[in-house]
Coordinates of all heavy atoms in Angstrom, one line a residue:
V1 N 0.8 -1.3 0.0 CA 0.1 0.0 0.1 C 0.8 1.2 0.0 O 0.2 2.4 -0.1 CB -1.0 0.0 1.2 CG1 -1.8 -1.3 1.3 CG2 -0.2 0.4 2.5
N2 N 2.2 1.1 0.0 CA 3.0 2.3 0.4 C 3.1 3.4 -0.8 O 3.3 4.5 -0.6 CB 4.3 2.0 0.7 CG 5.1 1.2 -0.4 OD1 4.6 1.0 -1.4 ND2 6.5 1.0 -0.1
D3 N 2.5 3.0 -2.0 CA 2.4 4.0 -3.1 C 1.0 4.5 -3.3 O 0.8 5.3 -4.1 CB 3.0 3.4 -4.3 CG 4.6 3.2 -4.2 OD1 5.1 3.9 -3.7 OD2 4.9 2.2 -4.9
R4 N 0.1 3.9 -2.6 CA -1.4 4.2 -2.8 C -2.1 4.8 -1.6 O -3.1 5.4 -1.7 CB -2.1 2.9 -3.2 CG -1.5 2.2 -4.5 CD -2.3 1.0 -4.9 NE -2.1 -0.1 -4.0 CZ -3.1 -0.5 -3.3 NH1 -4.3 -0.1 -3.4 NH2 -2.9 -1.6 -2.4
F5 N -1.6 4.4 -0.4 CA -2.3 4.9 0.9 C -1.5 6.0 1.5 O -0.4 6.1 1.5 CB -2.6 3.8 1.8 CG -3.5 2.7 1.4 CD1 -3.9 2.7 0.0 CD2 -3.8 1.6 2.2 CE1 -4.9 1.7 -0.3 CE2 -4.6 0.6 1.9 CZ -5.2 0.7 0.6
T6 N -2.3 6.9 2.3 CA -1.6 8.1 3.0 C -2.3 8.0 4.2 O -3.6 8.2 4.4 CB -1.8 9.4 2.3 OG1 -1.1 9.3 0.9 CG2 -1.0 10.4 3.2
I7 N -1.5 8.1 5.4 CA -2.1 8.1 6.7 C -1.7 9.6 7.3 O -0.7 10.0 7.1 CB -1.5 6.9 7.7 CG1 -2.2 7.1 9.0 CG2 -0.1 7.1 7.8 CD1 -1.9 5.9 9.9
T8 N -2.7 10.2 7.9 CA -2.5 11.5 8.5 C -3.1 11.5 10.0 O -4.0 10.7 10.3 CB -3.2 12.6 7.7 OG1 -4.6 12.3 7.6 CG2 -2.6 12.8 6.4
R9 N -2.6 12.4 10.8 CA -3.0 12.4 12.2 C -3.2 13.9 12.6 O -2.4 14.7 12.3 CB -2.1 11.7 13.1 CG -2.3 11.7 14.5 CD -1.3 11.1 15.3 NE -1.5 11.1 16.8 CZ -0.7 10.4 17.6 NH1 0.4 9.8 17.2 NH2 -1.0 10.5 19.0
R10 N -4.2 14.1 13.4 CA -4.5 15.4 14.1 C -4.6 15.2 15.5 O -5.5 14.8 16.1 CB -5.8 16.0 13.6 CG -6.0 17.4 14.0 CD -7.2 18.1 13.1 NE -8.4 17.4 13.3 CZ -9.0 16.7 12.5 NH1 -8.4 16.4 11.3 NH2 -10.1 16.1 12.7
R11 N -3.4 15.6 16.2 CA -3.2 15.1 17.6 C -4.2 15.7 18.5 O -4.7 15.0 19.5 CB -1.8 15.4 18.1 CG -0.9 14.4 17.4 CD 0.5 14.5 18.2 NE 1.2 15.7 17.7 CZ 1.9 15.8 16.6 NH1 2.2 14.9 15.8 NH2 2.6 17.0 16.4
P12 N -4.6 17.0 18.5 CA -5.4 17.6 19.4 C -6.7 16.8 19.6 O -7.3 16.7 20.7 CB -5.7 19.1 19.0 CG -4.4 19.4 18.2 CD -4.0 18.1 17.5
A13 N -7.3 16.4 18.5 CA -8.6 15.6 18.5 C -8.3 14.1 18.6 O -9.3 13.4 18.5 CB -9.3 16.0 17.3
N14 N -7.1 13.7 18.5 CA -6.6 12.2 18.5 C -7.5 11.6 17.3 O -8.1 10.5 17.6 CB -7.1 11.6 19.8 CG -6.0 11.9 21.0 OD1 -4.8 12.0 20.7 ND2 -6.4 12.2 22.1
T15 N -7.4 12.1 16.1 CA -7.9 11.6 15.1 C -6.9 11.1 14.0 O -5.7 11.6 14.0 CB -8.9 12.5 14.4 OG1 -8.1 13.6 13.8 CG2 -10.0 12.9 15.2
V16 N -7.2 10.1 13.3 CA -6.3 9.6 12.3 C -7.1 9.2 11.1 O -8.2 8.6 11.2 CB -5.4 8.4 12.7 CG1 -6.3 7.2 13.1 CG2 -4.4 8.1 11.7
N17 N -6.7 9.6 9.9 CA -7.3 9.2 8.6 C -6.4 8.3 7.7 O -5.2 8.3 7.9 CB -7.6 10.5 7.8 CG -8.6 11.3 8.5 OD1 -9.4 10.9 9.3 ND2 -8.6 12.6 8.2
L18 N -7.0 7.6 6.8 CA -6.4 6.8 5.8 C -6.9 7.1 4.4 O -8.1 6.6 4.2 CB -6.4 5.3 6.2 CG -5.6 4.4 5.2 CD1 -4.1 4.6 5.6 CD2 -6.0 3.0 5.5
R19 N -6.1 7.8 3.7 CA -6.7 8.1 2.2 C -6.1 6.9 1.4 O -5.0 6.6 1.3 CB -6.0 9.4 1.8 CG -6.4 9.7 0.4 CD -7.8 9.9 0.2 NE -8.1 10.4 -1.1 CZ -9.3 10.6 -1.7 NH1 -10.3 10.4 -0.9 NH2 -9.4 11.0 -3.0
M20 N -7.0 6.2 0.7 CA -6.8 5.1 0.0 C -7.1 5.4 -1.5 O -8.3 5.8 -1.8 CB -7.4 3.8 0.4 CG -7.3 3.6 1.8 SD -8.2 2.0 2.3 CE -9.8 2.5 2.2
T21 N -6.1 5.2 -2.4 CA -6.3 5.5 -3.8 C -6.0 4.2 -4.6 O -5.2 3.3 -4.1 CB -5.5 6.7 -4.3 OG1 -4.2 6.4 -4.2 CG2 -5.9 7.9 -3.6
D22 N -6.4 4.2 -5.9 CA -6.1 3.1 -6.7 C -6.4 1.7 -5.9 O -5.5 0.7 -5.9 CB -4.7 3.1 -7.1 CG -4.4 2.1 -8.4 OD1 -5.4 1.7 -9.1 OD2 -3.1 1.7 -8.5
L23 N -7.6 1.5 -5.4 CA -7.9 0.4 -4.6 C -8.0 -0.9 -5.6 O -8.4 -0.8 -6.7 CB -9.3 0.5 -4.0 CG -9.2 1.5 -2.7 CD1 -10.5 2.0 -2.3 CD2 -8.4 0.7 -1.6
K24 N -7.5 -2.0 -5.0 CA -7.5 -3.2 -5.6 C -8.4 -4.2 -4.9 O -8.5 -4.2 -3.7 CB -6.1 -3.8 -5.8 CG -5.0 -2.7 -6.4 CD -3.7 -3.2 -6.4 CE -2.8 -2.1 -7.0 NZ -3.0 -1.9 -8.4

């Protein structure tokens, strides 16, 4: 997934997202 997914974090709200592209 390292060329297709992106993980991001917003610490004050303790949230984390995973953007997934070119799904298989």
Side-chain angles (χ1 to χ4, degrees):
V1 310
N2 65 356
D3 292 327
R4 301 182 293 118
F5 292 8
T6 302
I7 186 171
T8 57
R9 179 181 179 179
R10 189 165 62 253
R11 285 192 290 273
N14 286 320
T15 62
V16 62
N17 296 334
L18 185 70
R19 177 66 176 175
M20 306 184 295
T21 63
D22 192 24
L23 284 162
K24 305 178 183 299

